[in-house]
Amino acid sequence: MTSLLSHSYRDGSAPEKSVAPEIRPALEPQLVRVASVPASSVYVRHISPIDGDVAQPGGSAAASRDGGVRVTRLPDPDDPVRSAQQRWWPPTMFEAEWVRAHADDFDVFHLHFGFDARTPEQLRDLVEELRRLGKPLVYTAHDLRNPHHQSPVEHNAQLDVLVPAADAIVTLTDGAAYEIKRRWARRAIVLPHPHVVDFETMRRVQRARLDGRHDRDDAEFRIGLHLKSLRANMNPVPVVGALLDTIEALPNAVLQIDGHRDLLEPTGLRYDEGLADLLHEAADACRIDLRIHDSFDDEHLWEYLASLDLSVLPYRFGTHSGWLEACRDLGTPVLAPTCGYYRDQAPVMLYLHDDDGLDADSLGCAVARAYYDRPSFSITVDERRRQREAVSDAHAALYRDLLR
């Protein structure tokens, strides 16, 4: 387990390094072209320098504070065969044929998300092609348990290809790094998750929270549980039951439950009749504020999260969470389960919930503590800016070292 810039490569030869990247004078910064998969995700955009977000035609380039490196990331490939909505998902860059055809366009291949539909054999073809061409592979292990899969077997088989083959491994928390070391005897660079919400919105929402502070004795306390389209790692029914029992003893507490139309309307492809009946019955009895809608765009998601006093993550397994980071950006406290590494990722409140089930008492106690203590786990815009600069510099230095 290594933090920030400390790391080892596949041959284990590189010694640990200090947190701050080495500053070296250079007349002409080294240009490193990175095939990030996928390039358009907010995480990938925000590990780039602040003045160098990705997703412009032809990629983007921005000098990091490491004066010897300038990183440019390739844009997600346009695929004329796919619709506009599907043009980069699943990512074309995962195909060994794409790597062969574009070998002259990139120096480093950095894999993040999107390999759910790739078999271990297909991933093996990819890493073997990268190795044949002499292209370093960086893998950021966001998920050590896929939140979309009921069983870990398929994802484990994929990781058994990627983790041993990667020239460098990045992850988000010390806990995940320890698991990687235990399972594969590999060291991972630990780099924190950067901000999710844009700085302007962060500043506006945080200022509004400060301006809106008042006597909370009779103020509404809004608890949010968002079921989205019910990923495999969600366990909503016992969580809803425990929350309903808890708020009965909390004056002015409101439980808002959101879900997508495909989950809670009879015509939806993922319609869950039992869950829908439970929620409608609670809503008819005025026990919950039920809201059914399509997936939020960013603007409406930030508005929703900013309206909450507590966001509950109903997960029974998982690893890390971008939702958690967005809440942190907006000053919304998070109640997270004990599974995964959410507690390592950022300050959160905890309740006991994993593959073995939910401890309803721990959930109720945590919600009551949040209600009475009104904790604040927000992070300032300045802190997020400094963090992003450090993470961007660390990636630039990693790419530079792999190409030496």
Side-chain angles (χ1 to χ4, degrees), residues 87-369:
R87 68 176 188 172
W88 60 271
W89 200 266
T92 304
M93 287 186 187
F94 280 131
E95 298 168 7
E97 293 80 3
W98 184 93
V99 169
R100 277 193 295 273
H102 295 85
D104 293 335
D105 298 336
F106 68 94
D107 305 301
V108 176
F109 193 93
H110 192 156
L111 187 159
H112 291 272
F113 313 106
F115 55 87
D116 303 52
R118 310 300 287 181
T119 66
E121 292 72 23
Q122 290 172 318
L123 293 175
R124 195 169 290 113
D125 289 342
L126 170 69
V127 300
E128 288 177 357
E129 188 63 22
L130 290 168
R131 190 168 300 164
R132 186 184 71 81
L133 294 167
K135 303 292 185 179
L137 169 63
V138 179
Y139 172 49
T140 295
H142 296 269
D143 296 314
L144 297 178
R145 174 82 184 267
N146 192 314
H148 301 283
H149 295 176
Q150 290 285 354
S151 167
V153 172
E154 181 180 357
H155 192 63
N156 286 345
Q158 294 166 325
L159 294 181
D160 283 341
V161 174
L162 296 173
V163 175
D167 295 281
I169 302 164
V170 177
T171 194
L172 310 180
T173 59
D174 287 339
Y178 181 82
E179 182 176 339
I180 290 167
K181 182 179 180 181
R182 176 179 58 81
R183 291 173 63 180
W184 293 283
R186 293 295 310 274
R187 283 187 180 176
I189 310 164
V190 177
L191 297 175
H193 197 300
H195 67 104
V196 173
V197 181
D198 63 277
F199 293 135
E200 181 180 350
T201 301
M202 280 182 63
R203 185 175 287 107
R204 174 176 53 78
V205 170
Q206 291 185 13
R207 184 180 298 119
R209 281 189 184 273
L210 287 173
D211 293 344
R213 282 183 178 172
H214 52 276
D215 185 356
R216 302 287 298 189
D217 290 342
D218 59 353
E220 176 187 273
F221 184 80
R222 185 163 289 266
I223 303 163
L225 179 66
H226 200 311
L227 303 179
K228 305 181 187 178
S229 293
L230 204 62
R231 295 187 309 188
N233 70 334
M234 290 189 177
N235 187 25
V237 173
V239 173
V240 170
L243 288 171
L244 286 172
D245 291 342
T246 300
I247 65 171
E248 287 182 353
L250 304 177
N252 301 311
V254 176
L255 175 57
Q256 177 179 329
I257 299 183
D258 286 65
H260 293 164
R261 297 185 194 281
D262 64 344
L263 173 68
L264 298 178
E265 292 188 347
T267 56
L269 293 176
R270 299 169 181 258
Y271 180 57
D272 187 320
E273 183 178 5
L275 178 61
D277 288 347
L278 170 69
L279 297 181
H280 282 292
E281 180 180 341
D284 291 343
C286 299
R287 301 184 71 195
I288 65 172
D289 179 358
L290 178 61
R291 305 190 183 189
I292 302 173
H293 47 76
D294 293 323
S295 179
F296 285 137
D297 59 21
D298 284 352
E299 180 182 356
H300 289 96
L301 178 57
W302 308 155
E303 180 182 348
Y304 159 73
L305 292 176
S307 73
L308 302 179
D309 296 292
L310 183 70
S311 181
V312 180
L313 306 185
Y315 308 149
R316 60 189 179 92
F317 60 81
T319 312
H320 302 117
S321 171
W323 187 277
L324 184 160
E325 297 290 348
C327 287
R328 193 179 181 204
D329 290 339
L330 298 168
T332 302
V334 169
L335 179 54
T338 47
C339 62
Y341 301 106
Y342 310 112
R343 74 187 93 179
D344 290 356
Q345 189 175 342
V348 295
M349 304 192 73
L350 287 173
Y351 72 104
L352 181 58
H353 194 189
D354 54 28
D355 270 327
D356 293 329
L358 166 71
D359 184 312
D361 289 340
S362 71
L363 176 59
C365 289
V367 170
R369 191 165 66 251

